């Protein structure tokens, strides 16, 4: 008993009756059972148990999950601190996945059994997450994984890639020759954003703490130590005081306020992925610059625009296979039984890259 209680995730051999809950996906027809990590209530320990294996419905693909990427949002959802995720326990968590197609539902084209796929597919709203052996997902949210990446590495990409792409490509329309500043360049979204902006021909700069500057430089951006350099100083040094063409804020809070003072007059564009809180728009208005927000979960929550997620991931796979987009994955290994340990590392900010759960 002591060994069982000592595990990071409480392991039980009972069914939770989740087959009636919307979080399980599929059509509700009975199938065999599978292992899954379930959040029974916010703030409670995660439970590794058996639930009913989903059956793909119309427009759905059944994926045998190989790996599940862990994001800071996953830990906030578990703690009940992410109301915007609109999730109600009991639920299976896990936003990102990579795996192998095990079957397709009626009306699905473009995917066949055996295809290796990746996507941002669940863990919010009524969509089952990826911390399970199988998941039935909307085919529009999936793409074939990059051929050059393992399933484990591919699972580290979806949320970060979609978020960075919506900010830099869809909103700011970054082009060759522009100067792009990324706040938080060594974070999950920041690392992808730096690579994406460089792939589009921009000159990239990124802020970070002293311990993250080496990572930023390895990614090909000019590192800026935000703890010792004032925004006015690096705007003057790198842009001659004109400001950056595009500023992507992945930090929020004070980082967004700094973005408003770092952007170029008239033509500059600030994009934030964490635009919550109260901010003065005066610095932005005095520059005549523009602002956009990114909410990557919206298609999953509303059902609208899901095709674009698949499109982004297909384009990102091309970049990855070209060597222009690579994930940084923490070498430590975790399983469904040690998900809580993985969450603890993400919460502490001590990871050396994206934390990935080996589901298979």
């Amino acid at each position: 008993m002591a060994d069982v209680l000592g595990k990071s995730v409480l392991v039980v051999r009972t069914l939770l009756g989740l087959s009636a809950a919307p979080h399980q996906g599929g059509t509700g027809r009975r199938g065999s059972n599978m292992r899954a990590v379930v959040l029974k209530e916010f703030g409670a320990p995660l439970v590794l148990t058996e639930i009913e294996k989903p059956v793909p419905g119309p427009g759905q693909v059944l994926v045998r999950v190989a790996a599940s990427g862990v994001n800071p949002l996953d830990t906030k959802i578990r703690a009940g601190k992410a109301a915007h995720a609109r999730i109600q326990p009991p639920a299976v968590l896990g936003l990102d996945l990579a795996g192998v197609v095990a079957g397709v539902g009626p009306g699905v084209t473009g995917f066949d059994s055996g295809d290796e796929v990746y996507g941002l597919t669940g863990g919010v709203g009524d969509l089952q997450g990826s911390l399970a052996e199988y998941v039935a997902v909307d085919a529009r949210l999936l793409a074939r994984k990059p051929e050059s990446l393992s399933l484990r590495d591919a699972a580290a990409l979806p949320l970060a890639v979609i978020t960075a792409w919506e900010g830099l490509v869809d909103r700011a329309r970054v082009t060759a020759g522009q100067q792009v500043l990324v706040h938080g360049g060594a974070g999950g979204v920041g690392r992808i954003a730096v690579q994406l902006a460089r792939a589009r021909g921009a000159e990239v700069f990124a802020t970070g703490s002293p311990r993250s500057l080496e990572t930023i430089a390895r990614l090909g951006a000019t590192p800026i130590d935000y703890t010792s350099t004032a925004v006015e100083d690096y705007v003057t040094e790198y842009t001659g005081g004109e400001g950056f063409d595009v500023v992507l804020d992945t930090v929020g809070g004070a980082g967004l306020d700094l973005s408003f003072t770092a952007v170029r007059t008239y033509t500059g564009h600030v994009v934030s992925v964490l635009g919550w809180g109260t901010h003065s728009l005066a610095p932005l208005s005095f520059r005549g610059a523009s602002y956009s927000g990114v909410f990557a979960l919206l298609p999953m929550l509303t059902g609208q625009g899901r095709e674009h997620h698949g499109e982004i991931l297909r384009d990102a796979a091309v970049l990855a296979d070209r060597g222009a987009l690579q994930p940084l994955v923490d070498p430590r290994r975790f399983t469904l039984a040690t998900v809580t340990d993985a969450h603890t590392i993400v919460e502490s900010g001590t990871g050396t890259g994206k934390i990935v759960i080996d589901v298979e």
Side-chain angles (χ1 to χ4, degrees):
M1 178 63 71
D3 289 341
V4 175
L5 294 177
K7 286 187 178 294
S8 300
V9 176
L10 178 62
V11 181
V12 297
R13 300 291 296 174
T14 59
L15 295 177
L16 295 181
L18 290 175
S19 57
H23 307 284
Q24 301 314 301
T27 63
R29 290 176 287 160
R30 291 196 59 80
S32 58
N33 292 334
M34 66 174 182
R35 295 189 309 150
V37 173
V38 176
L39 176 69
K40 296 179 68 175
E41 59 182 86
F42 292 125
L46 296 171
V47 177
L48 177 58
T49 186
E50 288 187 353
I51 63 174
E52 189 175 318
K53 178 182 171 182
V55 176
Q60 290 186 323
V61 172
L62 181 66
V63 178
R64 186 176 76 249
V65 182
S68 172
V70 183
N71 299 280
L73 179 57
D74 292 295
T75 67
K76 292 181 174 65
I77 292 172
R78 190 198 76 228
K81 298 179 180 178
H84 60 288
R86 305 179 196 172
I87 197 167
Q88 289 297 322
V92 177
L93 303 186
L95 298 163
D96 293 331
L97 69 72
V100 179
V101 174
V104 298
V108 172
T109 59
F111 294 105
D112 295 303
S113 294
D115 288 344
E116 294 184 326
V117 295
Y118 75 137
L120 171 64
T121 60
V124 298
D126 61 357
L127 303 179
Q128 182 205 302
S130 56
L131 291 176
E133 292 177 312
Y134 291 88
V135 58
V137 304
D138 189 325
R140 295 173 295 173
L141 297 171
L142 288 174
R144 287 185 177 84
K145 78 165 183 64
E147 293 182 2
S148 60
L149 299 182
S150 67
L151 286 164
R152 175 176 165 80
D153 286 347
L157 287 176
L159 177 60
V161 162
I162 290 170
T163 301
W165 194 286
E166 289 190 353
L168 293 177
V169 181
D170 295 343
R171 306 292 192 275
R173 303 188 182 279
V174 169
T175 58
Q178 288 186 316
Q179 290 185 303
V180 174
L181 174 66
V182 178
H183 281 307
V189 175
R191 292 191 298 267
I192 299 300
V194 167
Q195 296 178 77
L196 180 56
R198 292 190 70 240
R200 294 181 68 81
E203 181 184 11
V204 186
F205 306 80
T207 63
S209 63
R211 70 184 183 91
S212 69
L213 300 183
E214 183 179 348
T215 297
I216 290 171
R218 283 204 312 269
L219 292 170
T222 299
I224 300 171
D225 183 352
Y226 76 89
T227 69
S228 63
T229 309
V231 61
E232 296 82 7
D233 293 337
Y234 61 74
V235 167
T236 297
E237 179 178 358
Y238 296 119
T239 74
E242 295 295 324
F244 296 91
D245 297 292
V246 175
V247 182
L248 176 66
D249 164 46
T250 73
V251 179
L256 181 52
D257 294 320
L258 292 175
S259 301
F260 293 155
T261 64
V263 71
R264 183 177 293 273
T265 301
Y266 292 126
T267 60
H269 196 133
V270 174
V271 185
S272 181
V273 306
L274 290 171
W276 298 299
T278 302
H279 302 270
S280 172
L281 295 178
L284 186 72
S285 299
F286 291 152
R287 284 167 173 75
S290 58
Y291 169 81
S292 295
V294 172
F295 185 34
L297 304 183
L298 195 59
M300 301 162 70
L301 294 171
T302 66
Q304 298 177 347
R306 290 182 177 180
E307 297 89 348
H308 189 47
H309 274 198
E311 293 168 354
I312 291 172
L313 293 173
R314 286 192 290 274
D315 288 341
V318 173
L319 289 179
D321 288 337
R322 196 184 296 163
L325 187 64
Q326 297 294 316
L328 178 61
V329 178
D330 191 291
R332 286 169 286 191
R333 308 299 287 246
F334 301 91
T335 67
L336 289 180
T338 56
V339 170
T340 300
D341 293 341
H343 277 210
T344 297
I345 291 173
V346 172
E347 289 174 315
S348 68
T350 57
T352 57
K354 186 70 169 280
I355 300 293
V356 176
I357 307 296
D358 296 313
V359 176
E360 281 192 324

